[in-house]
Amino acid sequence: MIGVDVAYAGVAKRVGDLWTLDVGLSHNQFRAAYRGAFPYSYTEAYAGATHGALSAYVFVSPNYYRRDNWTLYGQLEASVTPASDWRLTAHVGSLVSLSMPEAYTRRRKTQHDWRLGVARELGAIEVHAALSGGGPGRQYYYGDTHSRTAVTAGASVSF
C-alpha cells in the first residue's frame, strides 16, 4: 500500500450567500508503492471558487513528480442531490505540462481526467461508487498497457 503524507495551508473566504473563494498551498509526499519503486513528492499552489454545488480550481506546481517540471491543472466539479440521502457527482480536469522535457511526455503535454459518482448516506455511513477515466491513450505500467477507466467503491463512517 502506498503511504501518503499531505500538508495544506490556505484560506477560504465566503463572498455573499453562495460564493466561496479559496487559495493555498499543499505538499504531497508518496512513499514507494513496492520494492524497487521510487518515492516522489510535489508542492502546488491553488486558487478556486465554489458557487453552490459547482466548483472550479486551478493548481500550479513547479516540481510535479520531477524536479523543474512545471504543470498547470484545472478542474471543474459539480454535485447534485436528486433525492434525500443521495448525491451525484461529476468531475473533469486537465493537466498541462509547461516545462517537462519532450522525452518524458511522449508528445502528450496535456492529460485529461473525468469521474462520475454516486453516493448514498445511511445514517453515519456513506457508501459511494464512481466510474473514472482519463487520456489520451492507455496507461503503461508493470510492463504492459492498461485502460485508464476504473470503477471504484467504498464506504465512509462519520463520527
Side-chain angles (χ1 to χ4, degrees):
M1 174 168 246
I2 296 175
V4 180
D5 296 316
V6 180
Y8 290 97
V11 63
K13 172 81 172 146
R14 186 164 211 104
V15 181
D17 291 337
L18 293 176
W19 284 95
T20 301
L21 303 178
D22 186 9
V23 296
L25 295 170
S26 71
H27 180 75
N28 302 275
Q29 186 168 328
F30 300 84
R31 290 183 283 286
Y34 54 90
R35 183 172 291 165
F38 295 101
Y40 55 90
S41 65
Y42 64 92
T43 302
E44 62 189 356
Y46 64 88
T50 301
H51 184 270
L54 302 173
S55 68
Y57 278 83
V58 175
F59 303 80
V60 63
S61 176
N63 60 343
Y64 191 71
Y65 293 106
R66 287 184 173 79
R67 187 178 167 148
D68 297 325
N69 178 34
W70 283 84
T71 57
L72 182 67
Y73 180 76
Q75 72 177 32
L76 297 173
E77 294 195 356
S79 176
V80 295
T81 306
S84 179
D85 298 327
W86 285 91
R87 189 174 70 257
L88 302 175
T89 60
H91 162 96
V92 63
S94 187
L95 176 73
V96 178
S97 178
L98 303 174
S99 64
M100 182 182 277
E102 193 71 29
Y104 291 119
T105 62
R106 295 179 148 180
R107 304 194 193 293
R108 295 181 184 150
K109 290 199 175 265
T110 303
Q111 298 286 319
H112 308 286
D113 64 275
W114 57 268
R115 182 183 68 249
L116 297 173
V118 60
R120 170 81 160 111
E121 288 185 27
L122 304 166
I125 298 173
E126 179 188 88
V127 293
H128 42 266
L131 176 67
S132 62
R138 297 172 63 82
Q139 182 70 31
Y140 183 83
Y141 56 91
Y142 292 121
D144 202 1
T145 59
H146 301 269
S147 170
R148 293 179 185 253
T149 304
V151 174
T152 57
S156 303
V157 178
S158 297
F159 51 91

